[in-house]
Amino acid sequence: MKLKGMFLVGILLICAVFAATIELTVWTHEDPNRTLLEERYIEEFQKLYPEVSVKRVTYPSAKIKETVLTAFSAGKGPDIFNMEVQDEYPYIVNRRVAPVNPAALGYKNVEEIYAAYLEGTLDPVSYQGKLYGVPLEITNWCIFVNTRYTKALGLDFENNYPKTWEELMEVSDKLTLRNGEIITRRGFDFRYPYYLTIFTPMVEQMGGYLLNKEGTEAIINPQAWVEVLTFMKEWGPSGRNLGSPTYTAARKNWNKDDGSIVMIESGLYQILRLKAENPELYESKEWMVIPWPVFENAVNHVKGNYYGHYYVVNAQSSPEKQEWAWKLIAYMLKHTGEYFEEVGLIQPTYELMESEVFKNFPYANVFMEDMSQAGCVLLHQAGPRLEQLIREAVESVMLSGVTPENAVKTLKAKATEVLEDY
Amino acid sequence: MKSGIEKKKARWGWFFVLPAIIYFSIFSFFPIINAFRTSLYRWNLLSLNPPRFVWFENYIRLFQSEAFWNSVKATAIFTVGTFSSLLIGGLALSILIFSRKRFRTFFQMALYSPAVLSTVVAATIWLLILDPRGLGNSVLNAVLGTSGKDYQWFANPDMSRISTIIIYFWKYIGHFTILFIAGLSSIPYTIHEAAIIDGAGPWKKYWRITFPLLKPTVVLVCVLSLIQCMKSFSTQYLFVQSGAPRAPIDVLTLSIYDTAIRDHQIGRASAMSIILFLTLILFSWAQLRLSRSEEVSFQ
């Protein structure tokens, strides 16, 4: 009898141990403000479901791409991860991430998920009729201005801010300070490596495109590319010397208000980062956000592309883990308002967009107005390679003295070669 | 026919080298063979479809690719620039330090210290120095008597090549100088004494005694520095991340990394790795072969 009892206890213990072995791994990019929130959500989730343990690991944005890729190629990818959607796209196409589980996410069906989010915002993770992720954040960039410097020059940005790239160039020229050829203060400078976010929309404004609709031909309307490259050449050291990819990334210094940069491109999240890093400037109100410019003779009034980070689930995780993974994602993302208020991340649900919190948030209307005229960043397996080629073209005209015409010819030839691989 | 003792010795020899054989088999030979096998496939890292065997298609595509030949050119320029400056600079500095009676250890330590830094840290320090508003421009402006000139350490294609060579030279010169000093120390002083008695001056002594007897060390330094230079990655990677134009410093290792990680084409990246590996083997073999023509003996 005693032996029987001990046997039963043993069985129960083994069951208890195995019952508590659902371990979820979440890999995400570094964001100190978001980490505080998500660690709290995970703690709460684990209390609600003691049989689940969650390990959240953060990586620098530049590093997470290669870490996730290496893990997936070795069959050891995390259960949940997020990256910029253009980097997630190959995982969707190659069936490495699982379609969403509406029930686990707390919806009746997929249609109800689409209905909860702003139209089009789930398109980047929709593929062949299935939905593969839900947005952690959707971001578009506007122009942040430190008005202390513009006011000092007598520029009244409140009533007359630069609306075109040409006007922005003129204003930047006035704001830029130099010691000989060396720039000590830039008026405005671009976020250079992100050419699919900033450069291709500039080309589209002039009527050019990176790919045709079928994705089979690259560099459509080369003349538009030449015009935008000419503008970049004029911007660079061999032109009016207003900035260059080789200077410290403008966004890194803007919050510091160290006198090295007046205007930058950034997302809404920059406001809360400014508040955290430089409360003095934030409280001073000597900053503002203005819309992303268009060219004077633009044929398309598009704004800078938006991109997003979507939470996705590893298709190779067990069905049980996948279900728990979607439950965890649902638990975290139900705090849409807090993500917005604490971290400045826009999860494009109708609930958030219609909330007073969102409507009253500084400059949210500027971002939303631009977002309504923005397209999504290119989603194509060759996207990163094409972005690299655009980078080479821009740098070659800005830094190496190549003519825009020749740069476009080279770009077209190389992009065509790249497309042959897909 | 081998005697029993010799056989026994040979068995023990195998026993002692066995750990090294196992180690190199797992961590060197297997990855090399595996890389060669992979290079014969069209293989997308993310695809769940089985890789497609394409024979030498990856190699053919590479040889037809403009980007690949640009990488070969960038690697060659970097290797020649760094290798020759390390060799000449290392030799000159070692003779200078070896001739000093005082502070010899201090100079060796000072020169060697950058080598203990990781390449990433070293490149980050230099990125700050070479920033348009950094020390690089200030010093050059002061030395050359110019004012506010931007020497475009990253921006200008030639300058970005020179900058990567400077960083590598700074980091590894101490290492190779110490190897040369070890070589110089191994030359018996009696030979120098004999030369002095026979009336040889310092110049003649160097060219007729020191340099010929230093040949094994020169070969060692040549092989090591050549391998080191051709494998260079972190400096160029950080330069590109910091906005430097890619083409002039797109060395083979950087191209391999991007082909695998950015483009997910592990087959083509493996083909590039095999080409780099064979080139290294070829150069090392040629150097060792050339050095064998005049074996050095202190007898």
Side-chain angles (χ1 to χ4, degrees), chain B residues 10-54:
Chain B
R11 268 204 300 272
W12 276 107
W14 277 108
F15 177 75
F16 285 121
V17 297
L18 197 61
I21 291 174
I22 293 170
Y23 177 84
F24 283 110
S25 300
I26 295 171
F27 295 107
S28 291
F29 304 139
F30 172 71
I32 292 166
I33 294 164
N34 194 39
F36 177 68
R37 190 182 68 91
T38 309
S39 75
L40 303 178
Y41 285 87
R42 195 182 172 116
W43 191 334
N44 181 328
L45 263 181
L46 275 181
S47 176
L48 290 170
N49 300 326
R52 192 157 56 89
F53 187 71
V54 291

CSV table of all heavy atoms in Angstrom, one decimal, chain B residues 10-54:
chain,number,residue,atom,x,y,z
B,10,ALA,N,57.2,5.1,-33.0
B,10,ALA,CA,56.2,5.6,-34.0
B,10,ALA,C,54.8,5.5,-33.4
B,10,ALA,O,54.0,6.4,-33.6
B,10,ALA,CB,56.4,4.8,-35.3
B,11,ARG,N,54.6,4.4,-32.7
B,11,ARG,CA,53.2,4.2,-32.1
B,11,ARG,C,52.9,5.4,-31.1
B,11,ARG,O,51.9,6.0,-31.1
B,11,ARG,CB,53.1,2.9,-31.4
B,11,ARG,CG,52.5,1.8,-32.3
B,11,ARG,CD,51.9,0.7,-31.6
B,11,ARG,NE,52.8,0.0,-30.7
B,11,ARG,CZ,53.5,-1.0,-31.0
B,11,ARG,NH1,53.5,-1.5,-32.2
B,11,ARG,NH2,54.3,-1.6,-30.1
B,12,TRP,N,54.0,5.6,-30.3
B,12,TRP,CA,53.8,6.7,-29.3
B,12,TRP,C,53.7,8.1,-30.0
B,12,TRP,O,52.9,8.9,-29.5
B,12,TRP,CB,55.0,6.7,-28.3
B,12,TRP,CG,54.8,5.8,-27.2
B,12,TRP,CD1,55.5,4.6,-27.0
B,12,TRP,CD2,53.9,5.9,-26.1
B,12,TRP,NE1,55.0,3.9,-25.9
B,12,TRP,CE2,54.0,4.7,-25.3
B,12,TRP,CE3,52.9,6.8,-25.8
B,12,TRP,CZ2,53.2,4.5,-24.2
B,12,TRP,CZ3,52.1,6.6,-24.7
B,12,TRP,CH2,52.3,5.4,-23.9
B,13,GLY,N,54.4,8.2,-31.1
B,13,GLY,CA,54.3,9.4,-31.9
B,13,GLY,C,52.8,9.7,-32.3
B,13,GLY,O,52.3,10.7,-32.1
B,14,TRP,N,52.2,8.6,-32.9
B,14,TRP,CA,50.8,8.7,-33.3
B,14,TRP,C,49.9,9.0,-32.1
B,14,TRP,O,49.0,9.8,-32.2
B,14,TRP,CB,50.4,7.4,-33.9
B,14,TRP,CG,50.7,7.2,-35.3
B,14,TRP,CD1,51.7,6.4,-35.9
B,14,TRP,CD2,50.2,8.0,-36.4
B,14,TRP,NE1,51.8,6.6,-37.2
B,14,TRP,CE2,50.9,7.6,-37.6
B,14,TRP,CE3,49.2,8.9,-36.5
B,14,TRP,CZ2,50.5,8.1,-38.8
B,14,TRP,CZ3,48.9,9.5,-37.7
B,14,TRP,CH2,49.6,9.0,-38.9
B,15,PHE,N,50.3,8.4,-31.0
B,15,PHE,CA,49.5,8.6,-29.8
B,15,PHE,C,49.5,10.1,-29.4
B,15,PHE,O,48.5,10.7,-29.0
B,15,PHE,CB,50.0,7.7,-28.6
B,15,PHE,CG,49.3,8.0,-27.3
B,15,PHE,CD1,48.0,7.4,-27.1
B,15,PHE,CD2,49.8,8.7,-26.3
B,15,PHE,CE1,47.3,7.6,-25.9
B,15,PHE,CE2,49.2,8.9,-25.1
B,15,PHE,CZ,47.9,8.4,-24.9
B,16,PHE,N,50.7,10.7,-29.4
B,16,PHE,CA,50.8,12.1,-29.0
B,16,PHE,C,50.2,13.1,-30.0
B,16,PHE,O,49.7,14.2,-29.6
B,16,PHE,CB,52.3,12.5,-28.7
B,16,PHE,CG,52.8,11.9,-27.4
B,16,PHE,CD1,53.9,11.0,-27.4
B,16,PHE,CD2,52.2,12.2,-26.2
B,16,PHE,CE1,54.3,10.4,-26.2
B,16,PHE,CE2,52.6,11.6,-25.0
B,16,PHE,CZ,53.7,10.7,-25.0
B,17,VAL,N,50.3,12.7,-31.3
B,17,VAL,CA,49.7,13.7,-32.2
B,17,VAL,C,48.2,13.5,-32.5
B,17,VAL,O,47.5,14.3,-33.1
B,17,VAL,CB,50.4,13.7,-33.6
B,17,VAL,CG1,51.8,14.1,-33.5
B,17,VAL,CG2,50.3,12.3,-34.3
B,18,LEU,N,47.7,12.4,-31.9
B,18,LEU,CA,46.3,12.0,-32.1
B,18,LEU,C,45.3,13.2,-31.7
B,18,LEU,O,44.4,13.5,-32.4
B,18,LEU,CB,45.9,10.7,-31.4
B,18,LEU,CG,44.6,10.1,-31.8
B,18,LEU,CD1,44.7,9.7,-33.3
B,18,LEU,CD2,44.3,8.9,-31.0
B,19,PRO,N,45.5,13.8,-30.5
B,19,PRO,CA,44.6,14.8,-30.1
B,19,PRO,C,44.6,16.0,-31.1
B,19,PRO,O,43.5,16.5,-31.4
B,19,PRO,CB,45.2,15.3,-28.7
B,19,PRO,CG,45.9,14.2,-28.2
B,19,PRO,CD,46.5,13.5,-29.4
B,20,ALA,N,45.8,16.3,-31.6
B,20,ALA,CA,45.9,17.4,-32.6
B,20,ALA,C,45.1,17.0,-33.9
B,20,ALA,O,44.4,17.8,-34.5
B,20,ALA,CB,47.3,17.8,-32.9
B,21,ILE,N,45.3,15.7,-34.3
B,21,ILE,CA,44.7,15.3,-35.5
B,21,ILE,C,43.2,15.3,-35.3
B,21,ILE,O,42.4,15.8,-36.2
B,21,ILE,CB,45.1,13.8,-35.9
B,21,ILE,CG1,46.6,13.9,-36.3
B,21,ILE,CG2,44.2,13.2,-37.0
B,21,ILE,CD1,47.2,12.5,-36.5
B,22,ILE,N,42.7,14.9,-34.2
B,22,ILE,CA,41.2,14.9,-33.9
B,22,ILE,C,40.7,16.4,-33.9
B,22,ILE,O,39.7,16.7,-34.6
B,22,ILE,CB,40.9,14.2,-32.6
B,22,ILE,CG1,41.2,12.7,-32.7
B,22,ILE,CG2,39.4,14.5,-32.2
B,22,ILE,CD1,41.1,12.0,-31.4
B,23,TYR,N,41.5,17.2,-33.3
B,23,TYR,CA,41.1,18.6,-33.2
B,23,TYR,C,41.0,19.3,-34.6
B,23,TYR,O,40.0,19.9,-34.9
B,23,TYR,CB,42.1,19.4,-32.3
B,23,TYR,CG,41.8,20.9,-32.2
B,23,TYR,CD1,40.9,21.4,-31.3
B,23,TYR,CD2,42.5,21.8,-33.1
B,23,TYR,CE1,40.6,22.7,-31.2
B,23,TYR,CE2,42.2,23.1,-33.0
B,23,TYR,CZ,41.3,23.6,-32.1
B,23,TYR,OH,41.0,24.9,-32.0
B,24,PHE,N,42.1,19.1,-35.3
B,24,PHE,CA,42.1,19.7,-36.7
B,24,PHE,C,41.1,19.1,-37.6
B,24,PHE,O,40.5,19.7,-38.5
B,24,PHE,CB,43.5,19.7,-37.3
B,24,PHE,CG,44.4,20.8,-36.7
B,24,PHE,CD1,45.4,20.4,-35.8
B,24,PHE,CD2,44.1,22.1,-36.9
B,24,PHE,CE1,46.2,21.4,-35.3
B,24,PHE,CE2,44.9,23.1,-36.3
B,24,PHE,CZ,46.0,22.7,-35.5
B,25,SER,N,40.8,17.8,-37.4
B,25,SER,CA,39.8,17.1,-38.3
B,25,SER,C,38.5,17.7,-38.0
B,25,SER,O,37.7,17.9,-39.0
B,25,SER,CB,39.8,15.6,-37.9
B,25,SER,OG,41.0,15.0,-38.2
B,26,ILE,N,38.1,17.9,-36.8
B,26,ILE,CA,36.8,18.4,-36.4
B,26,ILE,C,36.7,19.9,-36.8
B,26,ILE,O,35.7,20.3,-37.4
B,26,ILE,CB,36.5,18.2,-34.9
B,26,ILE,CG1,36.4,16.7,-34.7
B,26,ILE,CG2,35.1,18.9,-34.6
B,26,ILE,CD1,36.3,16.4,-33.2
B,27,PHE,N,37.7,20.7,-36.4
B,27,PHE,CA,37.5,22.1,-36.5
B,27,PHE,C,38.1,22.8,-37.8
B,27,PHE,O,37.9,23.9,-38.1
B,27,PHE,CB,38.1,22.8,-35.3
B,27,PHE,CG,37.3,22.5,-34.0
B,27,PHE,CD1,37.8,21.7,-33.1
B,27,PHE,CD2,36.0,23.0,-33.8
B,27,PHE,CE1,37.1,21.3,-31.9
B,27,PHE,CE2,35.3,22.7,-32.7
B,27,PHE,CZ,35.8,21.8,-31.7
B,28,SER,N,38.9,22.0,-38.5
B,28,SER,CA,39.5,22.6,-39.7
B,28,SER,C,39.2,21.7,-41.0
B,28,SER,O,38.6,22.2,-41.9
B,28,SER,CB,41.0,22.7,-39.6
B,28,SER,OG,41.4,23.7,-38.7
B,29,PHE,N,39.6,20.4,-40.9
B,29,PHE,CA,39.4,19.7,-42.2
B,29,PHE,C,38.0,19.5,-42.5
B,29,PHE,O,37.6,19.6,-43.7
B,29,PHE,CB,40.2,18.3,-42.0
B,29,PHE,CG,41.6,18.4,-41.7
B,29,PHE,CD1,42.2,17.6,-40.8
B,29,PHE,CD2,42.4,19.4,-42.3
B,29,PHE,CE1,43.6,17.7,-40.4
B,29,PHE,CE2,43.7,19.6,-41.9
B,29,PHE,CZ,44.3,18.7,-41.0
B,30,PHE,N,37.2,19.1,-41.5
B,30,PHE,CA,35.8,18.9,-41.8
B,30,PHE,C,35.1,20.1,-42.4
B,30,PHE,O,34.4,20.1,-43.4
B,30,PHE,CB,35.0,18.3,-40.6
B,30,PHE,CG,33.5,18.3,-40.8
B,30,PHE,CD1,33.0,17.3,-41.6
B,30,PHE,CD2,32.7,19.2,-40.2
B,30,PHE,CE1,31.6,17.3,-41.9
B,30,PHE,CE2,31.3,19.1,-40.4
B,30,PHE,CZ,30.8,18.2,-41.3
B,31,PRO,N,35.3,21.3,-41.7
B,31,PRO,CA,34.6,22.5,-42.3
B,31,PRO,C,35.1,22.8,-43.7
B,31,PRO,O,34.3,23.3,-44.6
B,31,PRO,CB,35.0,23.6,-41.3
B,31,PRO,CG,35.3,23.0,-40.1
B,31,PRO,CD,35.9,21.6,-40.4
B,32,ILE,N,36.4,22.5,-44.0
B,32,ILE,CA,36.9,22.8,-45.4
B,32,ILE,C,36.2,21.9,-46.4
B,32,ILE,O,35.7,22.3,-47.4
B,32,ILE,CB,38.5,22.6,-45.4
B,32,ILE,CG1,39.1,23.7,-44.6
B,32,ILE,CG2,39.0,22.7,-46.8
B,32,ILE,CD1,40.6,23.5,-44.3
B,33,ILE,N,36.2,20.6,-46.0
B,33,ILE,CA,35.5,19.6,-46.9
B,33,ILE,C,34.1,20.0,-47.1
B,33,ILE,O,33.5,20.0,-48.2
B,33,ILE,CB,35.7,18.2,-46.4
B,33,ILE,CG1,37.2,17.8,-46.5
B,33,ILE,CG2,34.9,17.2,-47.2
B,33,ILE,CD1,37.6,16.6,-45.6
B,34,ASN,N,33.4,20.3,-46.0
B,34,ASN,CA,32.0,20.6,-46.0
B,34,ASN,C,31.8,21.9,-46.8
B,34,ASN,O,30.8,22.0,-47.6
B,34,ASN,CB,31.5,20.8,-44.6
B,34,ASN,CG,30.0,20.8,-44.5
B,34,ASN,OD1,29.4,20.0,-45.3
B,34,ASN,ND2,29.4,21.7,-43.8
B,35,ALA,N,32.7,22.9,-46.7
B,35,ALA,CA,32.5,24.1,-47.5
B,35,ALA,C,32.6,23.8,-49.0
B,35,ALA,O,31.9,24.4,-49.8
B,35,ALA,CB,33.6,25.1,-47.1
B,36,PHE,N,33.6,22.9,-49.3
B,36,PHE,CA,33.7,22.6,-50.7
B,36,PHE,C,32.5,21.9,-51.2
B,36,PHE,O,31.9,22.2,-52.3
B,36,PHE,CB,34.9,21.6,-50.9
B,36,PHE,CG,35.1,21.2,-52.4
B,36,PHE,CD1,35.4,22.1,-53.4
B,36,PHE,CD2,34.8,19.9,-52.7
B,36,PHE,CE1,35.5,21.7,-54.7
B,36,PHE,CE2,34.9,19.5,-54.1
B,36,PHE,CZ,35.3,20.4,-55.0
B,37,ARG,N,31.9,21.0,-50.4
B,37,ARG,CA,30.7,20.2,-50.8
B,37,ARG,C,29.6,21.3,-51.0
B,37,ARG,O,28.9,21.2,-52.0
B,37,ARG,CB,30.3,19.3,-49.7
B,37,ARG,CG,29.2,18.3,-50.1
B,37,ARG,CD,28.9,17.4,-48.9
B,37,ARG,NE,28.3,18.1,-47.8
B,37,ARG,CZ,27.0,18.3,-47.6
B,37,ARG,NH1,26.2,17.8,-48.5
B,37,ARG,NH2,26.5,19.0,-46.6
B,38,THR,N,29.4,22.2,-50.0
B,38,THR,CA,28.4,23.2,-50.1
B,38,THR,C,28.5,24.1,-51.4
B,38,THR,O,27.5,24.5,-52.0
B,38,THR,CB,28.4,24.1,-48.9
B,38,THR,OG1,28.4,23.2,-47.7
B,38,THR,CG2,27.2,25.0,-48.8
B,39,SER,N,29.8,24.3,-51.7
B,39,SER,CA,30.0,25.2,-52.9
B,39,SER,C,29.5,24.6,-54.2
B,39,SER,O,29.4,25.3,-55.2
B,39,SER,CB,31.5,25.6,-53.0
B,39,SER,OG,32.2,24.5,-53.5
B,40,LEU,N,29.2,23.4,-54.2
B,40,LEU,CA,28.7,22.7,-55.4
B,40,LEU,C,27.2,22.7,-55.5
B,40,LEU,O,26.6,22.1,-56.4
B,40,LEU,CB,29.2,21.3,-55.5
B,40,LEU,CG,30.7,21.1,-55.4
B,40,LEU,CD1,31.1,19.6,-55.5
B,40,LEU,CD2,31.4,21.8,-56.6
B,41,TYR,N,26.6,23.4,-54.5
B,41,TYR,CA,25.1,23.4,-54.5
B,41,TYR,C,24.6,24.8,-54.6
B,41,TYR,O,25.2,25.8,-54.2
B,41,TYR,CB,24.6,22.9,-53.1
B,41,TYR,CG,24.7,21.4,-53.0
B,41,TYR,CD1,25.9,20.8,-52.5
B,41,TYR,CD2,23.6,20.5,-53.3
B,41,TYR,CE1,26.0,19.4,-52.4
B,41,TYR,CE2,23.7,19.2,-53.2
B,41,TYR,CZ,24.9,18.6,-52.7
B,41,TYR,OH,25.0,17.2,-52.6
B,42,ARG,N,23.4,24.9,-55.2
B,42,ARG,CA,22.6,26.2,-55.1
B,42,ARG,C,21.8,26.1,-53.9
B,42,ARG,O,20.8,25.2,-53.8
B,42,ARG,CB,21.8,26.3,-56.4
B,42,ARG,CG,21.3,27.7,-56.6
B,42,ARG,CD,20.4,27.8,-57.8
B,42,ARG,NE,19.8,29.1,-57.8
B,42,ARG,CZ,20.0,30.0,-58.7
B,42,ARG,NH1,20.8,29.8,-59.7
B,42,ARG,NH2,19.4,31.2,-58.6
B,43,TRP,N,22.1,26.8,-52.9
B,43,TRP,CA,21.6,26.6,-51.5
B,43,TRP,C,21.1,27.9,-50.9
B,43,TRP,O,22.0,28.7,-50.6
B,43,TRP,CB,22.6,25.9,-50.7
B,43,TRP,CG,22.2,25.3,-49.4
B,43,TRP,CD1,21.2,25.7,-48.6
B,43,TRP,CD2,22.8,24.3,-48.7
B,43,TRP,NE1,21.1,25.0,-47.5
B,43,TRP,CE2,22.1,24.0,-47.5
B,43,TRP,CE3,23.9,23.4,-48.9
B,43,TRP,CZ2,22.5,23.1,-46.5
B,43,TRP,CZ3,24.3,22.5,-48.0
B,43,TRP,CH2,23.6,22.3,-46.8
B,44,ASN,N,19.9,28.1,-50.7
B,44,ASN,CA,19.3,29.3,-50.0
B,44,ASN,C,19.2,28.9,-48.5
B,44,ASN,O,18.6,27.9,-48.2
B,44,ASN,CB,18.0,29.6,-50.5
B,44,ASN,CG,17.4,30.9,-49.9
B,44,ASN,OD1,17.6,31.1,-48.7
B,44,ASN,ND2,16.6,31.7,-50.6
B,45,LEU,N,19.9,29.7,-47.7
B,45,LEU,CA,20.0,29.4,-46.2
B,45,LEU,C,18.6,29.2,-45.6
B,45,LEU,O,18.5,28.5,-44.7
B,45,LEU,CB,20.7,30.5,-45.5
B,45,LEU,CG,22.2,30.2,-45.2
B,45,LEU,CD1,22.8,31.4,-44.5
B,45,LEU,CD2,22.5,29.0,-44.5
B,46,LEU,N,17.6,29.9,-46.1
B,46,LEU,CA,16.3,29.9,-45.5
B,46,LEU,C,15.4,28.9,-46.1
B,46,LEU,O,14.3,28.6,-45.5
B,46,LEU,CB,15.7,31.3,-45.5
B,46,LEU,CG,16.1,32.3,-44.5
B,46,LEU,CD1,15.3,33.6,-44.7
B,46,LEU,CD2,15.8,31.8,-43.1
B,47,SER,N,15.7,28.5,-47.2
B,47,SER,CA,14.7,27.6,-47.9
B,47,SER,C,14.6,26.2,-47.3
B,47,SER,O,15.6,25.6,-46.9
B,47,SER,CB,15.1,27.5,-49.4
B,47,SER,OG,14.3,26.6,-50.0
B,48,LEU,N,13.4,25.7,-47.2
B,48,LEU,CA,13.2,24.4,-46.7
B,48,LEU,C,13.3,23.3,-47.8
B,48,LEU,O,13.4,22.1,-47.6
B,48,LEU,CB,11.8,24.2,-46.1
B,48,LEU,CG,11.7,25.0,-44.8
B,48,LEU,CD1,10.2,25.0,-44.3
B,48,LEU,CD2,12.5,24.4,-43.7
B,49,ASN,N,13.4,23.8,-49.1
B,49,ASN,CA,13.6,22.9,-50.2
B,49,ASN,C,15.0,22.4,-50.2
B,49,ASN,O,16.0,23.1,-49.8
B,49,ASN,CB,13.4,23.6,-51.5
B,49,ASN,CG,12.0,24.2,-51.6
B,49,ASN,OD1,11.1,23.6,-51.1
B,49,ASN,ND2,11.8,25.3,-52.2
B,50,PRO,N,15.2,21.1,-50.6
B,50,PRO,CA,16.6,20.6,-50.6
B,50,PRO,C,17.5,21.4,-51.6
B,50,PRO,O,17.1,21.8,-52.6
B,50,PRO,CB,16.4,19.2,-51.0
B,50,PRO,CG,15.1,19.1,-51.6
B,50,PRO,CD,14.3,20.2,-51.1
B,51,PRO,N,18.8,21.6,-51.2
B,51,PRO,CA,19.7,22.3,-52.1
B,51,PRO,C,19.9,21.6,-53.4
B,51,PRO,O,19.8,20.3,-53.4
B,51,PRO,CB,21.0,22.4,-51.3
B,51,PRO,CG,20.9,21.5,-50.2
B,51,PRO,CD,19.4,21.2,-49.9
B,52,ARG,N,20.1,22.3,-54.5
B,52,ARG,CA,20.2,21.7,-55.8
B,52,ARG,C,21.7,21.6,-56.2
B,52,ARG,O,22.4,22.6,-56.1
B,52,ARG,CB,19.5,22.6,-56.8
B,52,ARG,CG,19.3,21.9,-58.2
B,52,ARG,CD,18.1,22.6,-58.9
B,52,ARG,NE,18.2,24.0,-59.0
B,52,ARG,CZ,18.8,24.6,-60.0
B,52,ARG,NH1,19.3,23.9,-61.0
B,52,ARG,NH2,18.8,25.9,-60.1
B,53,PHE,N,22.1,20.4,-56.6
B,53,PHE,CA,23.5,20.1,-57.0
B,53,PHE,C,23.7,20.8,-58.3
B,53,PHE,O,23.0,20.5,-59.3
B,53,PHE,CB,23.8,18.6,-57.0
B,53,PHE,CG,25.2,18.3,-57.3
B,53,PHE,CD1,26.2,18.5,-56.3
B,53,PHE,CD2,25.6,17.8,-58.5
B,53,PHE,CE1,27.5,18.2,-56.5
B,53,PHE,CE2,27.0,17.5,-58.7
B,53,PHE,CZ,27.9,17.7,-57.7
B,54,VAL,N,24.7,21.7,-58.4
B,54,VAL,CA,24.9,22.5,-59.7
B,54,VAL,C,26.3,22.4,-60.2
B,54,VAL,O,26.8,23.2,-61.0
B,54,VAL,CB,24.5,24.0,-59.5
B,54,VAL,CG1,23.0,24.1,-59.3
B,54,VAL,CG2,25.3,24.6,-58.4
